[in-house]
Amino acid sequence: FVITSKAKTKIRQRVKEQEVKETGLAKEILERKFKNRKLEFDGNKIIRIGDNLEDLADKVIDASGKVVMPGFVNTHTHAAMTLTRGVCEDTPLQPWLQKVWAIEAKIDGEAIYWGTKLAIVEMLKSGTTNFCDMYWFIPRAYQAAFEMGIRATFTYPLLNNFDKEKAEAQKKECLDILEQSRTWNPRIKYGIAILETLITALIFKLSLLSAIHFSISSCDQPSTDDFNSILFSFNKGKIY
């Protein structure tokens, strides 16, 4: 399947036309209904949009020249991998994984704490106020998110290469963290990341949020069981 130069030109033209159309519509809506309006908040909820609301407020925030909008949600992160940024660039997936896994084998909870904090700073600066993470040392990552004031869901990575002994160890740690999560701040949730696992049924038994690697690269060769697990997850309605 080949896209010709002529077809590429047409595609670019259609995309440009759509962008202009959507940008114009957004601008019209903003100018007509929401430009130079005022918002009244009660806690974390918008309760009124109108004019002359500042007389009723305990605190006034001047947002002139800015856009007020919901925060972005990053639905798939390995936040503390800010620590491995740039160590192995422009390489195929498998060589890259081997390099990164060698580094991750030496990472401890303290490194995860600071790597997650760095990621959160970058997310907040770009308007992301909620993220779904799947990485190691979750209690330390939770501490970073708690201190930074961001919303998050931390999912335990079930990556055991179908090794029974490793699967049992991960199951125990996963359940231990689940117990800890019952005392977490309400803006931070806990779930499970489905990768290669012998204990997928645990997810549905606990009714936890699930995060998956659904987009498969050409370097990956998933088994039939992997796809069945994914489809079963969709049927259960637990995909985050």
Side-chain angles (χ1 to χ4, degrees), residues 84-104:
T84 59
R85 183 182 293 153
V87 299
C88 187
E89 299 295 328
D90 301 321
T91 59
L93 177 61
Q94 290 304 322
W96 180 84
L97 286 173
Q98 295 304 319
K99 179 73 173 180
V100 170
W101 284 341
I103 296 172
E104 288 180 339

Side-chain angles (χ1 to χ4, degrees), residues 1-232:
F1 180 72
V2 178
I3 300 177
T4 64
S5 298
K6 187 175 181 180
K8 288 180 181 178
T9 301
K10 287 186 177 181
I11 291 171
R12 291 193 188 100
Q13 184 178 352
R14 290 293 298 276
V15 170
K16 183 66 176 177
E17 290 173 356
Q18 187 66 22
E19 287 177 346
V20 170
K21 181 179 178 181
E22 291 177 357
T23 301
L25 178 62
K27 184 177 180 181
E28 181 182 352
I29 292 173
L30 287 171
E31 289 182 346
R32 284 187 179 184
K33 295 186 177 181
F34 299 112
K35 188 174 182 180
N36 298 325
R37 303 302 295 274
K38 296 178 174 63
L39 302 178
E40 183 178 354
F41 292 86
D42 184 8
N44 63 353
K45 294 182 179 179
I46 298 173
I47 59 173
R48 196 153 45 143
I49 301 175
D51 300 305
N52 304 317
L53 302 180
E54 58 266 35
D55 295 338
L56 306 174
D58 297 323
K59 180 180 179 181
V60 176
I61 300 174
D62 184 2
S64 302
K66 298 178 174 60
V67 175
V68 179
M69 60 179 286
F72 295 118
V73 179
N74 190 337
T75 60
H76 187 121
T77 67
H78 309 283
M81 287 189 75
T82 50
L83 301 175
T84 59
R85 183 182 293 153
V87 299
C88 187
E89 299 295 328
D90 301 321
T91 59
L93 177 61
Q94 290 304 322
W96 180 84
L97 286 173
Q98 295 304 319
K99 179 73 173 180
V100 170
W101 284 341
I103 296 172
E104 288 180 339
K106 301 176 182 178
I107 287 179
D108 59 13
E110 188 69 6
I112 294 296
Y113 171 79
W114 290 108
T116 302
K117 274 205 162 183
L118 173 57
I120 292 172
V121 168
E122 294 175 352
M123 284 190 272
L124 291 174
K125 288 186 69 176
S126 61
T128 296
T129 58
N130 192 357
F131 68 103
C132 179
D133 196 60
M134 52 202 81
Y135 211 49
W136 314 113
F137 296 97
I138 287 178
R140 295 296 285 146
Y142 163 80
Q143 191 63 32
F146 172 73
E147 293 173 3
M148 299 290 280
I150 197 170
R151 290 180 293 155
T153 298
F154 290 104
T155 61
Y156 187 93
L158 295 173
L159 182 60
N160 48 55
N161 297 315
F162 302 100
D163 179 297
K164 289 186 178 181
E165 186 176 342
K166 191 172 183 180
E168 284 303 313
Q170 288 188 347
K171 178 180 177 180
K172 181 180 183 306
E173 184 176 29
C174 177
L175 293 174
D176 287 345
I177 298 175
L178 173 62
E179 286 303 311
Q180 295 175 38
S181 72
R182 301 189 193 285
T183 62
W184 284 4
N185 186 287
R187 62 181 157 79
I188 303 177
K189 310 299 182 185
Y190 181 62
I192 296 178
I194 308 173
L195 298 173
E196 298 171 349
T197 179
L198 289 169
I199 52 176
T200 303
L202 177 68
I203 300 158
F204 309 115
K205 181 180 179 181
L206 299 176
S207 297
L208 290 174
L209 290 171
S210 304
I212 63 172
H213 286 74
F214 190 69
S215 180
I216 306 297
S217 80
S218 60
C219 296
D220 295 322
Q221 297 185 16
S223 67
T224 302
D225 288 340
D226 292 332
F227 281 116
N228 286 340
S229 175
I230 290 169
L231 294 174
F232 185 54

